[in-house]
Amino acid sequence: MNPYLALEGVSYVLPDGRTLFTDINGTFDQRRTGLVGRNGVGKSLLARILAGRVQPSIGRCLRSGGVYYLAQQVAPPANATVASLAGVRQTLDALARIEAGSSAPQDFDAVGDRWDIRQQLRGALEHHGLGHLDADTPADRLSGGEAMGVALTGALLSDADFLILDEPSNHLDRPHRRALIAQLKNWSRGLLVVSHDRQLLEAMEHIVELSSLGLRSYGGNYTFYATSKTHERQNALQEFERRKLERRREEQAMVKQRERQTRRQARGNRRGKETNQAKILLDRQKERSQGSVGRLHQQQVIARQRLDQQVREAAQHMQNDAPITLHSFSVAQAAQRRVVELDGVELPFVPKAMRHISICLNGQQRVGMTGPNGCGKSTLLKVLAGRLHPLAGVCKIMAEAIYLDQRLANLAPERTALDQMQTANSTATEGDLRMRLAQLDLDAQKITMPSGSLSGGERLKAALACVLYADPPPQLLLLDEPSNHLDLPSTQALEAMLRGYQGTLVVVSHDDVFMDNLGLTERLLATGQGWCLEPW
């Protein structure tokens, strides 16, 4: 039987009583499937339900065969090793005991038919560019990208019938992203990938979108999905306008109908009085007239409710695809003005080849920093932001700088997004700040919750808002992987805003599509011979 996962009437209610999604139905088959959706809609939770890690509040999930689930945050426990992070520690330990003379049935069960697991792990690590690691390397020595690479190695080595990977490319550098895509294309069993990575989604055969309306299935890859969504938005807008026009016409017709009835009633009353009809006959005529008015009023109330419901349903489809907006801001900065000057700077904690750098940046330069994981990109950003001091050399920053790091250190988890926005920009009104957060799809409830309780993408939006809407606006913007965890509409909104930014921009990202859409002027590339600044 081909592997599959099926959801039957699945609903989930959060501990605070909020319903995240309701009556979800869907089947995931052997096709490479990408799961997409807005931040906070519940994609990661749905993935955990599919993997059997969380039980739904209502409904059930059916699975054929074993499922291997990889969360988007790889957090190895204390004393973990590369082998345990890859999920093969027990197999390796059982194999070692057998080789030492053990005949315990549980050891043979643990090994199964994986007698060459050591060779498989070694080959997989080398294939992933992690050949410098071995099974016993402590996991706490690994960078975020290395930890994700090891975890992905374990997923691809597994005997699972179905892989569920949540944002697997987030911490991978460019070569490892491309290697991951190639490996997933060769995976022959069931695969579900939760992702906002357009290159990774392009390699999928099937896209499924989770929204407030439920699951919507799209055949084809990301390009097909994006084209279909554009048509859907156009159709939803046309349907919304059509329903509003229909309601307006029907209401006008109902007004005329009431006016005609009022005129008929008035004529009947006049004729009755003019012909000196008996009072009892006039009273009966009045009762019939009032009954007719009542019936018409009731019919029109029902018709108006039906029309209002049709407009609300059309609006709900519109709201599901409401655009994400990031406002541009004015930065008065001359292009020739010197902004950054590094002279003979020696960076801490980086490989020897990338330890020294001398560079000058002027106003309105737009630099994309690229290079493999661990080469020192984030360290250099921290030096530019004043978070780290160089070991030697001169570091001069001659502009107002704001830095957004991967861990979102500028966002206090115990404080609300609105409170932190007000701290970053004390001149804007609360209404204006609320509006800007709402345009990032952070509603009134979310912006008054502790930011630590938001989803990863929602926290990133809040952190971006605090950075990008600060007063005074930054003249030097330092961004470290700013699109990680952002949903697709938010990523596109960020791209549009950064294209119009007139200050000096230095951005680190492994997302080729994102970087190509920013209108960058130079690339600062970390190579085996040191740092190299070249035209983008």
Side-chain angles (χ1 to χ4, degrees):
M1 180 189 296
N2 291 330
Y4 71 90
L5 303 172
L7 298 166
E8 296 184 351
V10 167
S11 301
Y12 192 84
V13 180
L14 295 169
D16 61 7
R18 288 181 296 139
T19 298
L20 195 57
F21 41 73
T22 303
D23 197 24
I24 297 289
N25 296 281
T27 300
F28 300 88
D29 55 26
Q30 205 166 354
R31 288 174 293 176
R32 295 189 303 274
T33 300
L35 177 62
V36 301
R38 294 285 180 96
N39 292 134
V41 77
K43 300 183 299 300
S44 292
L45 184 57
L46 187 62
R48 288 159 61 199
I49 289 173
L50 286 164
R53 301 294 184 92
V54 174
Q55 293 302 310
S57 304
I58 301 174
R60 63 175 182 166
C61 177
L62 304 177
R63 305 171 193 86
S64 69
V67 177
Y68 192 105
Y69 168 73
L70 180 60
Q72 61 177 277
Q73 297 294 341
V74 177
N79 302 319
T81 63
V82 162
S84 54
L85 192 56
V88 297
R89 179 81 273 169
Q90 291 182 345
T91 306
L92 286 173
D93 289 347
L95 180 59
R97 287 192 295 270
I98 291 171
E99 291 172 341
S102 171
S103 58
Q106 59 266 31
D107 285 338
F108 284 86
D109 290 341
V111 173
D113 58 359
R114 306 179 75 183
W115 296 98
D116 60 345
I117 186 61
R118 287 197 192 97
Q119 293 79 8
Q120 287 185 33
L121 179 61
R122 170 49 45 198
L125 289 173
E126 291 177 352
H127 187 73
H128 280 79
L130 300 169
H132 59 288
L133 305 177
D134 59 41
D136 295 321
T137 300
D140 58 10
R141 294 184 188 173
L142 306 181
S143 69
E146 288 174 329
M148 178 56 77
V150 170
L152 283 167
T153 296
L156 295 167
L157 280 176
S158 73
D159 289 326
D161 298 293
F162 219 104
L163 291 186
I164 299 178
L165 310 178
D166 193 353
E167 298 283 6
S169 64
N170 260 1
H171 299 287
L172 300 183
D173 57 23
R174 208 166 259 99
H176 289 110
R177 284 186 176 213
R178 291 169 182 164
L180 171 65
I181 291 171
Q183 288 162 337
L184 293 183
K185 283 183 176 179
N186 290 327
W187 181 259
S188 59
R189 283 163 275 177
L191 174 66
L192 175 66
V193 178
V194 181
S195 183
H196 304 300
D197 183 332
R198 286 163 285 191
Q199 284 180 301
L200 179 54
L201 292 172
E202 192 68 28
M204 297 295 106
E205 301 170 291
H206 182 216
I207 303 294
V208 176
E209 182 184 64
L210 177 62
S211 74
S212 59
L213 303 177
L215 280 179
R216 177 73 188 275
S217 179
Y218 297 83
N221 58 12
Y222 173 76
T223 298
F224 182 86
Y225 162 75
T227 302
S228 300
K229 288 295 291 182
T230 299
H231 292 320
E232 280 185 6
R233 290 187 197 99
Q234 294 170 346
N235 293 338
L237 177 59
Q238 292 172 358
E239 178 67 7
F240 181 60
E241 295 298 333
R242 187 180 74 80
R243 290 297 186 183
K244 287 198 301 182
L245 179 61
E246 180 183 1
R247 181 175 64 178
R248 189 159 55 248
R249 287 173 174 171
E250 290 286 340
E251 286 175 343
Q252 291 171 350
M254 285 188 281
V255 169
K256 292 179 180 179
Q257 189 178 23
R258 289 197 302 271
E259 290 174 348
R260 288 195 298 270
Q261 187 181 59
T262 300
R263 288 196 295 271
R264 285 197 300 270
Q265 185 179 19
R267 286 197 298 270
N269 291 338
R270 282 199 304 274
R271 282 197 296 269
K273 292 178 180 178
E274 289 169 357
T275 55
N276 293 321
Q277 289 182 355
K279 183 176 183 303
I280 189 170
L281 294 176
L282 290 174
D283 289 343
R284 287 177 181 172
Q285 181 177 331
K286 183 177 179 181
E287 288 176 5
R288 286 196 300 272
S289 178
Q290 289 174 339
S292 178
V293 170
R295 285 192 298 273
L296 178 62
H297 174 72
Q298 186 176 16
Q299 290 168 358
Q300 290 192 349
V301 166
I302 294 172
R304 197 174 292 109
Q305 290 174 342
R306 174 180 55 80
L307 292 166
D308 288 344
Q309 179 62 26
Q310 290 173 343
V311 171
R312 282 195 297 271
E313 289 174 355
Q316 187 177 9
H317 284 85
M318 288 284 295
Q319 291 165 1
N320 185 51
D321 280 327
I324 301 292
T325 302
L326 269 167
H327 296 276
S328 58
F329 50 89
S330 177
V331 178
Q333 184 158 281
Q336 66 274 17
R337 179 194 172 195
R338 182 64 54 84
V339 174
V340 171
E341 184 177 329
L342 303 182
D343 185 11
V345 163
E346 183 178 354
L347 302 174
F349 317 122
V350 301
K352 185 176 180 180
M354 272 73 75
R355 194 167 298 166
H356 296 90
I357 181 170
S358 294
I359 188 175
C360 292
L361 298 179
N362 295 328
Q364 299 182 14
Q365 273 189 271
R366 308 169 60 77
V367 180
M369 200 187 307
T370 63
N373 284 332
C375 70
K377 300 185 299 297
S378 296
T379 298
L380 179 53
L381 279 184
K382 290 174 184 176
V383 168
L384 292 173
R387 302 280 183 91
L388 272 180
H389 295 294
L391 300 177
V394 176
C395 177
K396 293 182 180 179
I397 309 299
M398 289 81 80
E400 184 72 29
I402 287 189
Y403 168 56
L404 180 69
D405 71 320
Q406 292 187 44
R407 298 183 182 276
L408 309 181
N410 68 315
L411 195 70
E414 72 279 2
R415 296 175 61 193
T416 70
L418 179 60
D419 180 34
Q420 295 180 77
M421 274 279 283
Q422 290 171 321
T423 300
N425 190 333
S426 59
T427 60
T429 65
E430 180 177 324
D432 183 51
L433 297 179
R434 283 179 174 270
M435 179 269 292
R436 294 190 179 205
L437 288 166
Q439 289 175 334
L440 283 169
D441 205 24
L442 296 173
D443 59 28
Q445 184 179 38
K446 290 176 181 176
I447 66 175
T448 54
M449 296 166 55
S451 58
S453 62
L454 301 175
S455 74
E458 290 168 336
R459 287 196 300 274
L460 180 51
K461 288 179 183 179
L464 276 168
C466 291
V467 166
L468 300 177
Y469 295 143
D471 184 40
Q475 296 175 323
L476 172 60
L477 199 52
L478 307 168
L479 304 177
D480 196 354
E481 295 285 2
S483 64
N484 270 4
H485 305 294
L486 279 187
D487 55 40
L488 293 166
S490 302
T491 299
Q492 291 162 344
L494 178 60
E495 291 168 351
M497 193 282 293
L498 291 178
R499 279 197 300 271
Y501 174 63
Q502 294 301 305
T504 304
L505 173 67
V506 182
V507 57
V508 171
S509 178
H510 297 299
D511 186 335
D512 289 337
V513 179
F514 175 72
M515 295 286 263
D516 288 339
N517 287 340
L518 298 185
L520 300 172
T521 56
E522 283 91 19
R523 182 195 310 272
L524 183 57
L525 177 62
T527 73
Q529 291 73 45
W531 296 94
C532 175
L533 187 65
E534 60 185 26
W536 187 266

